Amino acid sequence: MNRILIGAQWGDEGKGKIIDLLTAKSDIVVRYQGGNNAGHTVKFDSETCVLHLIPSGILHAGKICVIGGGVVLDPEAFFEEVRALEKRNIRVRGRLFVSDQAHMIFPYHKLLDRLKEESASEKDMIGTTKKGIGPCYADKMARLGIRVADLKYLDYFAQRLESVLKERNETLRKIYNHPGLSFKEIFSKFKKYRKELLEFAIDTPRYLYDATKRGKSVLFEGAQGTLLDVDHGTYPFVTSSNASVGGAITGSGVSPTVIDRVIGVVKAYTTRVGEGPFPSQFPPRLLKHIQTKGEEFGATTGRPRRCGWFDAVIARHSVRINGLDEMAIMKLDILSGLSEIKIATAYRIGGKIRKDYPHSTYEFSHAQPVYETMKGWKEDLSGVKRWKDFPLNAQKYLKRIETILETPIKIISVGSKRAQTVFL
Ligand code: IMP
């Protein structure tokens, strides 16, 4: 069984928990897009560790993890995670593979990301994670990228770095009045990473082709969410990769014919970190309450996430783009205690009711949510084990979401622990 797991909102849906559950049923876990802008908090006994790049499947003994060619890889961040895992006696070598097609994030990508954000006017700010993700993908598309495979031949790598850096230093000087970065410093840094990084590097499409032919079960884990997808998200307030289903195909180099199921993860409400329109955002008091109760702070940047009612317009858009077979709904327990609960089922834009997500950024930024209001429930859900134990109003809320999205909910999460999961 090969499954793709997708975030169906703006990321941070709680994919990590479902990935952990599905990893148990898989042989191989593949990350296919994004970079160390993602974050998955993992608890080790009394310590907490955040994995940004390496699939959390690495914590399950015997599972193979693959970082696909669609990922942008910052060697510095990669080795930090490798060392942190090894320090905890987790075997990484021979179990973790990196695509030799993956583009590498260089210091100038991080610098450009930061300078661009700092110099942007308020309305043009994206609120990026400043990890160099956007500039690295931009270079990939501009054919100025440097891939892991380019490290194999040091002379070639040096030549390539020299010519790309020349161009990027021009940008730094002319646009940002920055003196530019030194070739020598970057080259010597990457020369140090080179041997060790190449030990992890393989031809991942070939590896995955052979594995799926032999009947191995693969889990493709998406980072971020569909509304952050560069094509299908709330452009330009998106990340620079394809976080939706297509990214799993191009980013790992497998054919869509090997995929059996696509699973979408939604939160029982909506959150967003970074800039961009958010029609169903809560009023301030409720925002503070859910932020605190739901611990809605970014795993990568620590920024508070904006929170709002469940937006069925964007979720329906995700269902269609990804062809979701089923959904997992997370953090339902956080909504306990609210007298009423709303679902945004349409937008009012310029006096007209629109049921579909508008591609025009201007229209989206003027969208007023049209709500359906349902009764809330008081009961604490954190101990619920079966469907029939949910309060009637919680059942009605879930059923309504299923109906609007025309997609069955198969997993309901009521807390961060594995046991706090109801399978339907
Ligand atoms: P970038 O990916 O750092 O370029 O940031 C672009 C946008 O995507 C910003 O709004 C970020 O806050 C958002 N973003 C990137 N990664 C994540 C994530 O893992 N969860 C939620 N938002 C993210």
Side-chain angles (χ1 to χ4, degrees):
M1 172 73 82
N2 300 319
R3 304 174 182 87
I4 301 180
L5 191 98
I6 299 276
Q9 293 157 320
W10 275 292
D12 307 318
E13 295 88 355
K15 295 181 290 294
K17 177 173 167 178
I18 307 300
I19 291 165
D20 277 345
L21 293 168
L22 293 177
T23 297
K25 300 182 187 175
S26 313
D27 302 302
I28 302 169
V29 184
V30 184
R31 250 304 290 272
Y32 54 81
Q33 45 71 232
N36 56 322
N37 48 351
H40 176 194
T41 308
V42 189
K43 299 211 162 84
F44 291 92
D45 306 323
S46 59
E47 277 176 82
T48 300
C49 157
V50 186
L51 290 175
H52 298 284
L53 202 50
I54 298 177
S56 53
I58 203 74
L59 306 174
H60 295 242
K63 306 292 174 183
I64 301 288
C65 291
V66 172
I67 295 181
V71 170
V72 286
L73 184 128
D74 179 345
E76 193 177 338
F78 175 75
F79 284 118
E80 229 170 73
E81 288 183 22
V82 167
R83 309 268 180 261
L85 289 165
E86 287 183 335
K87 220 175 97 192
R88 291 173 166 99
N89 292 322
I90 293 159
R91 190 167 73 81
V92 174
R93 281 149 220 270
R95 289 182 55 217
L96 172 65
F97 302 110
V98 171
S99 174
D100 60 3
Q101 297 166 289
H103 282 249
M104 290 182 287
I105 297 179
F106 283 81
Y108 47 87
H109 292 132
K110 291 186 258 193
L111 181 61
L112 284 164
D113 197 356
R114 184 168 63 76
L115 293 174
K116 186 161 194 314
E117 281 288 283
E118 284 171 3
S119 64
S121 65
E122 208 172 301
K123 72 176 187 358
D124 291 328
M125 251 178 79
I126 305 292
T128 73
T129 58
K130 299 190 181 140
K131 303 287 180 191
I133 308 296
C136 185
Y137 278 115
D139 275 359
K140 169 177 173 171
M141 290 304 177
R143 292 159 292 193
L144 288 172
I146 305 180
R147 311 202 287 184
V148 170
D150 296 328
L151 285 171
K152 274 191 192 164
Y153 302 96
L154 203 57
D155 286 349
Y156 174 78
F157 172 75
Q159 253 177 43
R160 182 89 185 136
L161 177 63
E162 198 168 18
S163 67
V164 172
L165 186 64
K166 205 167 145 206
E167 192 151 338
R168 285 294 155 257
N169 274 343
E170 283 282 287
T171 316
L172 283 168
R173 283 189 204 110
K174 291 195 173 143
I175 300 185
Y176 298 105
N177 202 19
H178 184 283
L181 298 180
S182 137
F183 167 81
K184 245 170 103 180
E185 267 174 40
I186 301 177
F187 180 70
S188 75
K189 216 178 198 179
F190 276 70
K191 207 169 135 191
K192 274 194 208 125
Y193 298 136
R194 177 174 172 261
K195 186 164 169 283
E196 211 182 341
L197 189 52
L198 287 174
E199 283 167 10
F200 285 94
I202 62 164
D203 173 351
T204 46
R206 174 67 207 250
Y207 179 82
L208 293 172
Y209 178 83
D210 289 344
T212 49
K213 276 272 177 216
R214 281 185 286 123
K216 295 284 180 199
S217 172
V218 185
L219 173 65
F220 297 88
E221 64 160 85
Q224 290 89 42
T226 304
L227 275 297
L228 286 174
D229 182 288
V230 67
D231 286 295
H232 301 292
T234 49
Y235 193 88
F237 302 100
V238 291
T239 190
S240 299
S241 63
N242 286 115
S244 65
V245 73
I249 305 304
T250 50
S252 23
V254 299
S255 160
T257 54
V258 305
I259 305 301
D260 299 297
R261 280 191 95 65
V262 185
I263 304 168
V265 185
V266 292
K267 210 179 272 187
Y269 45 100
T270 311
T271 61
R272 169 159 218 187
V273 59
E275 303 304 316
F278 184 174
S280 68
Q281 186 164 320
F282 290 136
R285 263 183 57 193
L286 187 53
L287 172 63
K288 192 98 199 129
H289 167 72
I290 297 290
Q291 238 168 21
T292 311
K293 189 171 177 195
E295 296 176 32
E296 295 294 353
F297 297 90
T300 301
T301 57
R303 291 179 289 178
R305 298 177 187 138
R306 292 185 277 157
C307 307
W309 297 114
F310 189 85
D311 184 336
V313 182
I314 61 154
R316 204 163 31 215
H317 173 67
S318 280
V319 165
R320 292 180 190 139
I321 295 293
N322 297 306
L324 297 185
D325 293 302
E326 60 186 82
M327 291 184 294
I329 186 157
M330 315 303 288
K331 287 190 154 182
L332 186 65
D333 54 305
I334 304 300
L335 296 181
S336 290
L338 301 178
S339 58
E340 53 181 38
I341 293 186
K342 296 183 185 185
I343 302 176
T345 53
Y347 300 143
R348 183 173 286 108
I349 304 172
K352 285 206 180 97
I353 301 292
R354 302 267 296 265
K355 286 198 145 185
D356 293 325
Y357 162 71
H359 290 148
S360 152
T361 309
Y362 180 82
E363 286 177 353
F364 189 56
S365 62
H366 288 82
Q368 295 296 324
V370 176
Y371 289 120
E372 233 178 73
T373 303
M374 307 185 71
K375 286 205 180 96
W377 60 89
K378 288 199 174 62
E379 294 87 339
D380 171 20
L381 305 185
S382 59
V384 172
K385 299 265 183 275
R386 293 168 303 183
W387 171 257
K388 65 183 181 63
D389 298 333
F390 280 108
L392 193 61
N393 287 344
Q395 289 184 357
K396 282 186 182 163
Y397 179 61
L398 296 171
K399 281 282 160 210
R400 188 67 193 128
I401 290 177
E402 273 192 331
T403 306
I404 299 172
L405 302 185
E406 301 175 326
T407 309
I409 294 172
K410 294 281 189 178
I411 299 175
I412 305 164
S413 175
V414 291
S416 60
K417 299 204 178 81
R418 267 186 209 187
Q420 293 174 303
T421 316
V422 179
F423 295 91
L424 303 178

